[in-house]
Amino acid sequence: GGVSTGISVMLSDLLSTRMSVLGKVKRFDDSQRNSNAYAGNFSLKEKLTPSFWLREFGQYEKNSADQSVFSYTGSTVGISAGYAFTKRTLASLGYSYLVQKYDEPAGAEMKTHTIFLSADWSLRKNWGIGGEYDLQISKENVTGTSTTNNILSLAVRYSY
């Protein structure tokens, strides 16, 4: 589970930015992977029409695991396109690239390409729900191991 907070600023009618910080507590069946993570995000959003936009984003994350072989720093960059079907329903499609540099063994890193599709629904003024599907392909440089993950995420959001 995790928590995040952020601020959005409208730079013009067509351009906005968002900055946020987040914290996560990660728990796994293998307790050596259990960790706490902290991250900072920045994004820029351009409205091309009233219903269609592009968003570029970046994130820096520090993950501190119970076992140092699972601790890393990560940097992500990405881009997405979104469309508002109604005032309360929107969807986006995007791509991100993540590089994770592990504490041990020295020089170990993983590169991950992700394609994602998400949908959000506003339920009330401050409440919403969302869902996302991610297709991830990762490759680790020490062993050359490659993995593919299919991830489904659901969220309840509150904003004020």
Side-chain angles (χ1 to χ4, degrees):
V3 64
S4 67
T5 186
I7 185 168
S8 297
V9 177
M10 295 294 298
L11 303 173
S12 72
D13 289 343
L14 303 177
L15 189 63
S16 65
T17 186
R18 178 167 173 76
M19 293 167 274
S20 63
V21 293
L22 61 100
K24 297 178 190 174
V25 176
K26 301 177 183 180
R27 296 295 175 250
F28 299 92
D29 290 337
D30 173 7
S31 64
Q32 294 180 9
R33 294 178 61 196
N34 290 346
S35 62
N36 296 315
Y38 307 92
N41 300 302
F42 178 81
S43 68
L44 189 63
K45 180 177 170 183
E46 301 91 18
K47 227 177 189 185
L48 302 178
T49 71
S51 298
F52 182 70
W53 66 90
L54 295 176
R55 183 173 70 98
E56 302 81 26
F57 56 91
Q59 176 177 309
Y60 176 81
E61 177 186 15
K62 176 63 180 158
N63 186 77
S64 299
D66 290 351
Q67 183 73 333
S68 61
V69 73
F70 296 109
S71 295
Y72 63 86
T73 55
S75 299
T76 303
V77 294
I79 187 166
S80 64
Y83 188 79
F85 294 98
T86 69
K87 288 184 179 185
R88 304 179 98 187
T89 307
L90 58 94
S92 62
L93 174 67
Y95 167 81
S96 68
Y97 176 69
L98 165 65
V99 177
Q100 295 168 296
K101 296 185 180 201
Y102 286 84
D103 294 356
E104 291 185 28
E109 72 178 26
M110 184 177 301
K111 297 179 180 178
T112 302
H113 301 269
T114 303
I115 297 171
F116 59 89
L117 175 63
S118 66
D120 285 283
W121 298 272
S122 294
L123 302 174
R124 293 187 172 178
K125 181 180 178 185
N126 300 71
W127 289 93
I129 58 172
E132 182 169 302
Y133 169 75
D134 299 329
L135 172 62
Q136 287 186 336
I137 301 171
S138 302
K139 186 166 186 179
E140 191 268 324
N141 72 328
V142 173
T143 64
T145 303
S146 182
T147 59
T148 300
N149 295 308
N150 293 286
I151 302 168
L152 181 60
S153 304
L154 299 173
V156 175
R157 294 189 180 91
Y158 176 79
S159 63
Y160 61 96

